[in-house]
Amino acid sequence: MTFALDKFTEQIKSRKQFVDSCLDEYLHQVDAFPPLIHEAMCYAVFNGGKRLRPIMVMEGAIIAGGTRESVAPVACALEMIHSYSLVHDDLPAMDNDDFRRGKPTCHKVYGEANAILTGDALLTAAFELMTRNADINGINTKLVLKVIQEIASAAGSRGMVGGQVIDLVSEGKNIDFASLKALHSLKTGELFRVSLRAGAILHNIDEKGLQALEKYARHFGLAFQITDDILDVKGNPEFLGKPIGSDAKNHKTTYPGLFGLEKAWQLAQENVNTCIESLDGLGTEADFLRDLALFTLHRNS
Ligand code: GRG
């Protein structure tokens, strides 16, 4: 499959603008007293992120015959959960990063205690927001409940938080390929997986379609993580908005560390190919996802 970077850049830009406009509307709902925490929440969310998770929710909805507008609350809630995880991940007790996307991290601006509370507030606001998807015409309340349950599970101790725990206890230790894969499938993979499922479930996708998206998401998560590790070795700090080499600094096992850069790149390509194959039963409505998989091999941030 050929990949037109310019066309894709335009497509992702317009999707990101739509997500940003929805986030702007929803975050004003929490723009209340006390101002400090609401300002910090906006600082954490409007950070130049790519909005991949909400875009995935919306693409899943479109593939299942719905619209991006009809799943906007759940889509934005996933970005709020992702933003909370980054705020906490940057804290001194975790990765201790001073910069994210070229801007001082939340705790550098608002202090450590407020950054912890900002993460807490984003996580709880996300669950409040998700319930609002039940108010949207054509969306079945039972399916909203199913999606909320899946998102809670993917973000919690059996998902992203569990992955972060394994990551922290693995620091400085040599872990093998199977353990590294398990760590990342929880830490980053679960949120991608549930994002792609959520919009499709809200539009009652059939089991075959859901299985295809599920397979895509699992391999997308792996390809994304491998390229993330590669960027941390040889990316451009100007595009990344942070210095490279943080994995080595934190003594983390990475794909390039286990396999070398060349083999890690080959693994990323294999996972991207599997993503594309998994969509074989779908038509042009899945073209954006096909390009998104290829984009992981072209991204610089
Ligand atoms: C603290 C509970 C808790 C969890 C943190 C996801 C995570 C767990 C930490 C992030 C660490 C990290 C850099 C992982 C690599 C892959 C990843 C999730 C990168 C960031 O996602 P992007 O590139 O971020 O989608 P943007 O900035 O575009 O939103």
Side-chain angles (χ1 to χ4, degrees):
M1 234 185 111
T2 53
F3 178 65
L5 182 60
D6 288 351
K7 183 172 152 232
F8 181 77
T9 307
E10 278 310 306
Q11 287 177 333
I12 201 163
K13 192 170 146 203
S14 77
R15 282 163 172 80
K16 182 170 143 52
Q17 276 167 353
F18 179 69
V19 170
D20 281 346
S21 67
C22 298
L23 277 168
D24 196 41
E25 184 195 326
Y26 297 136
L27 276 161
H28 275 109
Q29 306 291 316
V30 290
D31 186 11
F33 186 80
L36 175 69
I37 187 74
H38 299 102
E39 188 192 307
M41 288 162 81
C42 285
Y43 184 83
V45 171
F46 295 100
N47 67 349
K50 296 182 287 300
R51 311 306 192 204
L52 292 180
R53 293 150 193 83
I55 289 173
M56 281 185 165
V57 177
M58 291 172 177
E59 293 305 313
I62 290 166
I63 287 170
T67 62
R68 59 186 190 175
E69 289 79 7
S70 65
V71 293
V74 163
C76 290
L78 270 152
E79 186 65 15
M80 286 157 73
I81 295 173
H82 168 61
S83 302
Y84 121 74
S85 80
L86 297 182
V87 169
H88 281 192
D89 189 61
D90 290 334
L91 286 167
M94 300 221 193
D95 270 5
N96 195 14
D97 281 317
D98 293 350
F99 288 94
R100 180 164 290 279
R101 300 207 153 276
K103 280 169 55 182
T105 43
C106 193
H107 65 273
K108 282 280 156 191
V109 178
Y110 294 96
E112 208 174 323
N114 284 322
I116 294 170
L117 293 169
T118 301
D120 296 340
L122 282 170
L123 179 61
T124 41
F127 280 86
E128 185 185 350
L129 178 56
M130 280 192 276
T131 64
R132 289 175 53 190
N133 225 116
D135 299 335
I136 290 181
N137 270 347
I139 299 287
N140 179 329
T141 305
K142 277 196 182 149
L143 294 179
V144 177
L145 283 178
K146 176 174 166 55
V147 161
I148 294 176
Q149 184 270 322
E150 283 206 13
I151 292 174
S153 168
S157 57
R158 283 160 289 150
M160 182 178 71
V161 170
Q164 181 77 349
V165 170
I166 303 175
D167 196 13
L168 290 174
V169 299
S170 308
E171 267 177 30
K173 293 189 185 132
N174 287 324
I175 58 171
D176 62 13
F177 180 39
S179 312
L180 187 67
K181 232 167 124 176
L183 185 170
H184 290 306
S185 69
L186 292 181
K187 188 176 127 173
T188 50
E190 278 293 286
L191 225 51
F192 282 133
R193 197 177 70 85
V194 82
S195 298
L196 210 43
R197 285 176 63 89
I201 290 174
L202 288 174
H203 283 283
N204 229 343
I205 195 167
D206 61 23
E207 195 46 41
K208 194 163 157 252
L210 196 58
Q211 287 310 320
L213 295 182
E214 173 89 33
K215 186 168 177 194
Y216 173 97
R218 265 189 280 116
H219 289 277
F220 179 88
L222 278 170
F224 188 84
Q225 186 61 54
I226 298 168
T227 51
D228 212 73
D229 286 358
I230 293 174
L231 285 171
D232 194 56
V233 178
K234 60 169 213 176
N236 182 337
E238 205 182 309
F239 293 125
L240 288 170
K242 59 173 189 179
I244 60 169
S246 77
D247 291 334
K249 186 186 87 185
N250 292 322
H251 307 288
K252 292 201 174 177
T253 303
T254 62
Y255 286 92
L258 268 186
F259 297 109
L261 276 169
E262 203 176 317
K263 177 85 183 27
W265 181 247
Q266 195 189 323
L267 266 177
Q269 286 175 311
E270 282 168 16
N271 278 289
V272 166
N273 290 340
T274 312
C275 280
I276 295 169
E277 277 162 30
S278 69
L279 303 177
D280 277 352
L282 298 169
T284 51
E285 68 282 10
D287 277 352
F288 179 81
L289 286 185
R290 294 183 178 99
D291 281 344
L292 182 65
L294 289 168
F295 171 69
T296 57
L297 302 174
H298 291 82
R299 72 194 183 101
N300 56 19
S301 75

